[in-house]
Amino acid sequence: MYGLIWLTDLRNKLDPMDLLIMLTSALCHDLDHPGYSNVYQINAQTELALRYNDISPLENHHCAVAFSILEDSNILKHVTTEQYKHIRAGMIKCILATDMARHNEILNKFKSIQPVFDFRNRDHTEVIMVKVSDISNEARPMAVAEPWLDCLLQEFFNQGDTEKLKGLPVTPFMDRDKVSKPSSQTSFIRFLLLPLFTELTKLFPCLEVQIFFYEIIHSNDNLATQKEAAASKP
């Protein structure tokens, strides 16, 4: 998030309160993550799924934990009541938007507001930037992205193993017997990441972010495709 703020010059386009919301949301968006997705929470009828009525249980939990920490630390003690309400509403909106089940909804909304995009309209800026930050790992250089990807896949495969043991449906892309690292990433980059960054670069055409992200994303996509082809050879 911090990198995107600088790349897109948002620090000169938004007021400090909105930057605070975006940075804090990015920092808090996965707090106390149990390592099992919303699909698992709902299928396994976990405490989180029951508490939040199957509606974005993880993201609601991350929000609750974030504000518990903020209240205990008293970091926001100097803001006014109205400012606190604004910060809280903004953070909840941004963190709930990181539920991947809402990916297409948020992307389509962002596409629809492109012609009338207004940096002064908080609804136009905060959600999309936090969402882009959330899934931007593959837009980083391969040397940075791959170690984090290995951790993510291990988390996914652990969930798939648990689902098999409990007789639950195995979540797509989480079955270690069917999914490879290259195949998972070519799909993720082509169908989720690249369309999102394509829209982002339309908003910031004069910045190097356009070349930077396209070069890295295509490089990572090509490397993943090459690895997939090599792995499929007998």
Side-chain angles (χ1 to χ4, degrees):
M1 185 72 257
Y2 179 79
L4 276 176
I5 287 173
W6 277 86
L7 281 169
T8 56
D9 199 31
L10 283 178
R11 63 195 186 283
N12 292 318
K13 294 181 173 72
L14 303 178
D15 66 50
M17 190 70 70
D18 293 325
L19 295 175
L20 171 67
I21 289 171
M22 292 163 61
L23 285 166
T24 310
S25 298
L27 183 66
C28 297
H29 83 284
D30 266 347
L31 278 175
D32 198 38
H33 197 295
Y36 296 92
S37 72
N38 280 331
V39 173
Y40 175 85
Q41 305 295 329
I42 294 168
N43 287 341
Q45 299 180 10
T46 65
E47 179 185 349
L48 285 181
L50 294 174
R51 181 184 304 163
Y52 295 110
N53 302 311
D54 295 350
I55 301 172
S56 301
L58 290 179
E59 289 72 27
N60 275 296
H61 179 61
H62 303 324
C63 282
V65 173
F67 280 97
S68 176
I69 293 172
L70 289 173
E71 289 179 11
D72 289 343
S73 62
N74 216 14
I75 292 173
L76 300 176
K77 65 180 178 181
H78 294 302
V79 303
T80 67
T81 299
E82 287 305 310
Q83 287 174 327
Y84 178 81
K85 288 181 179 178
H86 171 58
I87 292 170
R88 178 169 168 78
M91 285 183 60
I92 290 172
K93 178 176 63 178
C94 287
I95 294 175
L96 290 183
T98 62
D99 183 351
M100 288 304 293
R102 298 182 58 199
H103 178 85
N104 288 333
E105 167 204 336
I106 293 168
L107 177 57
N108 288 333
K109 181 179 179 181
F110 184 56
K111 287 180 179 179
S112 71
I113 64 175
Q114 283 273 13
V116 293
F117 193 91
D118 185 355
F119 285 104
R120 294 168 297 179
N121 186 331
R122 296 182 177 101
D123 290 335
H124 286 193
T125 310
E126 294 172 353
V127 165
I128 195 63
M129 297 307 289
V130 173
K131 178 164 180 56
V132 167
S133 299
D134 179 34
I135 65 169
S136 64
N137 183 60
E138 289 297 347
R140 301 175 183 180
M142 184 64 97
V144 177
E146 190 164 19
W148 285 107
L149 170 60
D150 291 337
C151 293
L152 179 64
L153 286 177
Q154 186 57 55
E155 180 181 301
F156 283 179
F157 293 155
N158 286 341
Q159 175 173 319
D161 294 343
T162 301
E163 288 168 331
K164 291 176 183 178
L165 286 172
K166 293 190 174 185
L168 299 171
V170 179
T171 304
F173 303 110
M174 297 191 183
D175 189 337
R176 68 172 70 245
D177 298 322
K178 297 180 180 179
V179 176
S180 68
K181 179 161 59 173
S183 65
S184 70
Q185 291 313 286
T186 52
S187 297
F188 174 76
I189 291 171
R190 289 173 181 169
F191 300 116
L192 295 176
L193 188 61
L194 196 53
L196 189 59
F197 274 104
T198 297
E199 295 305 315
L200 181 69
T201 57
K202 291 178 183 177
L203 184 60
F204 302 104
C206 62
L207 300 180
E208 289 185 3
V209 66
Q210 183 173 17
I211 299 173
F212 176 74
F213 281 126
Y214 266 72
E215 285 182 348
I216 291 177
I217 289 171
H218 282 302
S219 174
N220 286 0
D221 193 8
N222 289 336
L223 283 170
T225 302
Q226 292 169 13
K227 288 185 177 182
E228 183 178 18
S232 65
K233 291 181 179 178

